[in-house]
Amino acid sequence: MNWSVFYGILIPFLGTSFGAACVFFMKKEMGDRLQRMLTGFAAGVMVAASIWSLLIPAMEQVVDMGKLAFVPAVAGFWCGILFLLLLDHIIPHLHRNSQSAEGPKSQLKRTTMLVLAVTLHNIPEGMAVGVVYAGYLAGSTQISAAAAMALSLGIAIQNFPEGAIISMPLRAEGTGKPKAFLGGVLSGIVEPIGAILTILAAGLIVPALPYLLSFAAGAMLYVVVEELIPEMSQGEHSDVGTIFFAVGFSVMMMLDVALG
């Protein structure tokens, strides 16, 4: 087993789990300002990761296509967008600060739909980690072990607040601390599963790697525009979400360039 790949797949999930553990140490519900900061930070990390870790390597892998090197990136990007759009419509889920659920009508509890909303966020993140490690395992010169680890660390950093954002509201709604923690952990379990499945898929079809890289980018950017940006802008006007978007973007960009 390649242990660097194993740890790289596991690190983002640990980030979510550690964030969910905040429910044991924080007595009060997260304030609106803090939630905006964390959501903006997560959005910034995801946008930077989509560009530096996914879309640019996707185009570099098909540089021999010349001016048409954008084709796999655009095609995969749109497939990722449409895939998340489909999931958004077939999975019942409820976003923070929303009163009405999205997706098909269901009898699921409010807490369950909150967990499903964050789980939807985590699907493209798991795919992103998986496809980058698949590129590394396939011997791609554009993706080094350090670059793959940079993406894992970046997503783990932004998963920490995501874990807290799901466990703390669950606790505020009356869920016990262990159950609220478990809800946060379960929302992140899809990441290592998605990463492993993506590695297997890419290993079977190595030429599809540029498409899979851009697919993950499209899925991540869908989450940012559809979910995270509206969440960090809800309610009374504040620039704090935008500022922390820039902070998250800068952190991921530095990680990718320094380690990649």
Side-chain angles (χ1 to χ4, degrees), residues 54 58 72 76 127-128 131 134 198 201-203 205-206 208-217:
L54 300 169
M127 294 179 64
V131 75
T198 306
I205 321 170
V206 173
L209 197 57
Y211 294 91
L212 291 172
L213 285 164
S214 47
F215 179 97

Side-chain angles (χ1 to χ4, degrees), residues 54-55 57-59 61-62 65 68-81 127 131 198 202 205-219:
L54 300 169
L55 288 173
M59 287 185 278
Q61 291 218 341
V62 289
M65 292 178 67
L68 294 177
F70 68 87
V71 172
V74 172
F77 177 85
W78 269 101
C79 286
I81 292 284
M127 294 179 64
V131 75
T198 306
I205 321 170
V206 173
L209 197 57
Y211 294 91
L212 291 172
L213 285 164
S214 47
F215 179 97

Side-chain angles (χ1 to χ4, degrees), residues 78-99:
W78 269 101
C79 286
I81 292 284
L82 295 174
F83 176 68
L84 258 291
L85 181 64
L86 175 65
L87 291 184
D88 222 13
H89 282 82
I90 65 174
I91 297 176
H93 59 285
L94 178 68
H95 295 290
R96 180 180 64 87
N97 297 332
S98 295
Q99 297 303 316

Side-chain angles (χ1 to χ4, degrees), residues 39 96 222-235:
T39 303
R96 180 180 64 87
Y222 177 92
V223 168
V224 171
V225 177
E226 170 71 10
E227 317 292 358
L228 300 185
I229 289 178
E231 283 182 17
M232 76 184 199
S233 306
Q234 279 183 343

